[in-house]
Amino acid sequence: MSRQIPSIPRLQTLLNSVRFLRDPLAVISQNIKAYGDTYVFYLGGVVRALFTADPAFIQHVLQKNHRNYQKSPTHFRELGHFVGFGLLTIDGDHWLRQRRLIQPGFHKSRLQNLTHLMNGVIQEKIAKMEKQASAGPLDMTQHMMELAFGIIIQSIFSTAVPDQQLQEISDKIMRLQAFVIRLIRQPYLHWWLRASGQYRQHELMAAELDEIILGLIRYRRASGKERDDLLQMLLDARYEDNGEPMSEQQLLDEVKILFVAGHETSANALAWAFYLLGQNPDKAVQLQAELDAVLAGRRPNFDDLPQLPYLAQVVNEVLRCYPPAWITDRLALADDEFNGVKIAKGSIVATYIYGAHHAPEHWERADQFLPERFAKGANWNSAAYLPFGSGPRMCIGNHFAVMEMQLSLAHFFQHFHCTLKNEQPVGVRPLITLRPEGPIWVELTRK
C-alpha cells in the first residue's frame, strides 16, 4: 500500500535557500517539526529530492538495498572536480576497484603501525600548547585542526613537511570545500559563480594544491626509501586484475581524499570532545580516573585502547552528538519502495544522519552527553547510530579516526585538567563535516 508523504513547496524551499546555506540544521529541524522525518523538498529550490531522518529508511538506502543507489553524481562530480576523484567521490566499478585496492591498508593490524607516528605528533603538540597555556585559554577548534592535520601529514608521509606547505595545503582544502558546499546548496548561482570568475579562481587553487602534493609524492619516489606510512601503502598497492600500481593521477587523487576525509573529520570531532567534556566535568573526571588506573602515567599504545572502555564510550558519544557524516545523498538507479513510500528512478534521497542521532524516539535524553549509553550491555538502537555512514560505502578511515581520537584524548587528559571557558554556547557550522562556529576556549592546567 503506497503512502503519501508531505512535500515542501518549491517556492518555500527557494525562499529558504539562503538561510539553508547559513544554518541548515535549523531549517531541517523546523521542517521535521512541520512535516515529519520524511518529506519531499527542492534542493536550492531547483532539484526535487526525498529527505529522511528515519533510521530504518536510511539503512534501506545505504545498506540493505545499496545496489540500487549511487552517490549523487552532480554533487560528487563538483567535489571530485576540486579535491580529486578518489574513494570519497567516485562510484560504480571504479569505486569498487579502488576500494578493494586500498581497503587492506586500513585494516586494524596495519593501523597499529601508525600508533607511534600519531603519538609523536600528539606529544609535540601538547608540549607547544603547554607553553602557551600560561597566557590564558586556548582555542581548541584551531589547535585540534592543527593537530589532526599534523597527524594525517605524518600518517601519509611520515617525514617532516615545511610549515609553509602545510599551511598552504590546509588553507586550500578548506577554501575548496566551502566553495563546493556553496555550489551544492545554491545551484541557481552556478551561472554567476562562473561568470564572475570565482569558479575559475577555485580551479586554479585546486591546480596549485595538486602541484604541492605531487611534489611531495615525487620526492618520496625519487628518494627510493620505503617507509611505514599510508603513502607507502598506496605506492605498493597493486590491482588484482593486472598487477599494476595506480597511475600518478589516481595516486594524487587518493592522497587528496585522505587529506579531506582524514583531517577535518577528526579535528572537528576532537574539538567537540573538549566542548562536551568541558560542559560535563564529571565525565572528564571519570575519564581521567580510568586513564590513571590503566596507564599509570605512561603514554598509551595500540594495545591499551581495548582496556579503556570509558574512553571508547566518550568517543562514541561525541560522534553521536556531532557525526562526521551528518548528511549524505544517493541517486535511485531504479524504482524502489520503502514502507509504502514510492521512490522513482532518478530520485535524489537525502539521508539525515544527524537527525537519526538526535531523535528522542531512538535515544533516551537525546540532547544530553551520556557516554555510558554505549557501555557494554547497554540497550541502544544500532540502526540509529552511523557516524561514518553505513553499508559498503562506510568511511574506509573510520578505525583510523577513532584511534586518533582515543590516543589524542588519552594524552591530553593524562596531562591536563581541561576547563571550558566559553561564556555562550558554541554554534555548529555544517559544511562537509560539522565544524564548530567559532573558538572553543579551554583552560589547560597541568595535572
Side-chain angles (χ1 to χ4, degrees):
M1 181 177 178
S2 64
R3 174 164 65 97
Q4 286 294 112
I5 59 172
S7 178
I8 302 176
R10 184 190 297 265
L11 180 59
Q12 182 180 332
T13 309
L14 180 60
L15 293 174
N16 275 338
S17 64
V18 174
R19 183 167 164 247
F20 183 78
L21 178 67
R22 293 174 183 162
D23 192 1
L25 297 186
V27 174
I28 291 172
S29 177
Q30 181 180 318
N31 290 342
I32 288 175
K33 287 179 181 177
Y35 300 99
D37 63 10
T38 303
Y39 56 83
V40 171
F41 75 114
Y42 292 84
L43 185 61
V46 178
V47 181
R48 186 181 186 276
L50 180 66
F51 173 96
T52 185
D54 175 3
F57 202 157
I58 294 172
Q59 191 177 49
H60 173 81
V61 172
L62 299 184
Q63 185 175 5
K64 292 186 176 179
N65 197 27
H66 69 89
R67 295 184 186 280
N68 188 52
Y69 296 90
Q70 68 176 29
K71 288 198 169 187
S72 171
T74 303
H75 297 174
F76 284 92
R77 191 181 306 121
E78 295 286 11
L79 184 59
H81 181 68
F82 289 101
V83 299
F85 289 99
L87 274 178
L88 180 67
T89 53
I90 57 178
D91 224 315
D93 292 340
H94 186 193
W95 167 80
L96 183 59
R97 193 168 186 245
Q98 289 302 112
R99 180 84 181 203
R100 287 174 174 169
L101 180 74
I102 297 171
Q103 179 77 56
F106 284 90
H107 191 273
K108 284 186 178 181
S109 61
R110 291 293 300 270
L111 294 180
Q112 182 175 1
N113 298 329
L114 298 177
T115 306
H116 70 285
L117 294 175
M118 290 188 181
N119 276 335
V121 177
I122 297 165
Q123 287 181 308
E124 182 179 343
K125 183 63 176 172
I126 283 178
K128 290 180 180 178
M129 291 175 69
E130 189 170 11
K131 292 178 181 178
Q132 300 170 24
S134 59
L138 301 178
D139 175 9
M140 301 307 281
T141 301
Q142 182 60 36
H143 280 289
M144 290 304 100
M145 196 65 73
E146 293 170 1
L147 173 62
F149 197 70
I151 287 175
I152 196 64
I153 280 282
Q154 277 293 305
S155 298
I156 294 173
F157 296 110
S158 70
T159 52
V161 177
D163 288 345
Q164 182 181 348
Q165 285 190 327
L166 290 180
Q167 194 60 51
E168 281 191 71
I169 293 171
S170 180
D171 289 347
K172 291 182 191 304
I173 287 175
M174 294 291 187
R175 291 168 66 185
L176 289 169
Q177 285 187 26
F179 184 69
V180 170
I181 289 295
R182 192 176 185 195
L183 289 172
I184 292 172
R185 294 182 186 168
Q186 293 182 300
Y188 52 85
L189 288 182
H190 280 205
W191 70 272
W192 164 248
L193 295 172
R194 288 181 180 274
S196 65
Q198 293 184 56
Y199 198 94
R200 181 58 181 159
Q201 176 188 347
H202 285 83
E203 284 183 322
L204 293 173
M205 189 186 303
E208 292 168 357
L209 177 64
D210 285 358
E211 284 304 308
I212 296 171
I213 297 176
L214 266 178
L216 295 170
I217 293 172
R218 288 168 179 170
Y219 179 81
R220 164 68 67 81
R221 277 182 157 159
S223 73
K225 294 181 180 179
E226 293 193 3
R227 297 185 179 274
D228 194 7
D229 56 26
L230 294 177
L231 177 58
Q232 195 65 51
M233 177 270 291
L234 294 174
L235 288 168
D236 292 343
R238 296 293 184 270
Y239 291 108
E240 292 178 354
D241 54 353
N242 60 15
E244 294 291 324
M246 277 185 277
S247 67
E248 185 175 72
Q249 181 61 52
Q250 190 64 58
L251 179 62
L252 169 65
D253 285 352
E254 295 297 353
V255 169
K256 286 193 294 183
I257 292 299
L258 284 177
F259 277 124
V260 171
H263 156 217
E264 192 174 343
T265 297
S266 301
N268 292 334
L270 281 169
W272 288 123
F274 281 97
Y275 183 63
L276 291 166
L277 288 166
Q279 289 181 315
N280 299 270
D282 57 318
K283 311 298 184 187
V285 168
Q286 189 171 343
L287 174 59
Q288 286 180 323
E290 178 181 81
L291 294 170
D292 291 344
V294 174
L295 300 176
R298 62 179 173 79
R299 76 178 188 177
N301 59 47
F302 185 83
D303 294 330
D304 289 319
L305 299 181
Q307 313 308 317
L308 297 166
Y310 193 70
L311 173 62
Q313 292 166 37
V314 166
V315 169
N316 285 338
E317 179 69 343
V318 170
L319 295 174
R320 183 193 70 85
C321 293
Y322 297 100
W326 67 278
I327 193 168
T328 188
D329 59 9
R330 293 291 188 267
L331 175 73
L333 302 177
D335 291 346
D336 193 16
E337 181 178 336
F338 175 77
N339 283 357
V341 176
K342 300 289 187 181
I343 308 161
K345 176 182 178 180
S347 295
I348 296 290
V349 182
T351 57
Y352 187 44
I353 291 168
Y354 182 89
H357 280 205
H358 288 263
E361 60 267 35
H362 302 297
W363 300 97
E364 185 180 353
R365 292 181 285 170
D367 59 339
Q368 295 184 31
F369 178 67
L370 301 172
E372 54 271 22
R373 73 170 84 244
F374 289 100
K376 185 177 181 180
N379 184 26
W380 52 280
N381 182 3
S382 60
Y385 183 71
L386 25 120
F388 297 100
S390 181
R393 295 296 304 243
M394 180 185 289
C395 174
I396 196 172
N398 60 331
H399 295 306
F400 178 97
V402 168
M403 185 174 80
E404 178 181 356
M405 288 185 67
Q406 289 176 325
L407 289 173
S408 298
L409 292 175
H411 275 282
F412 271 91
F413 282 87
Q414 271 186 305
H415 281 80
F416 301 113
H417 294 295
C418 304
T419 307
L420 185 68
K421 290 296 182 178
N422 287 73
E423 295 182 358
Q424 300 294 329
V426 176
V428 184
R429 187 183 178 201
L431 296 175
I432 293 176
T433 56
L434 295 178
R435 191 182 301 176
E437 186 70 78
I440 293 174
W441 296 108
V442 172
E443 182 179 78
L444 301 179
T445 308
R446 180 80 186 198
K447 283 178 62 180

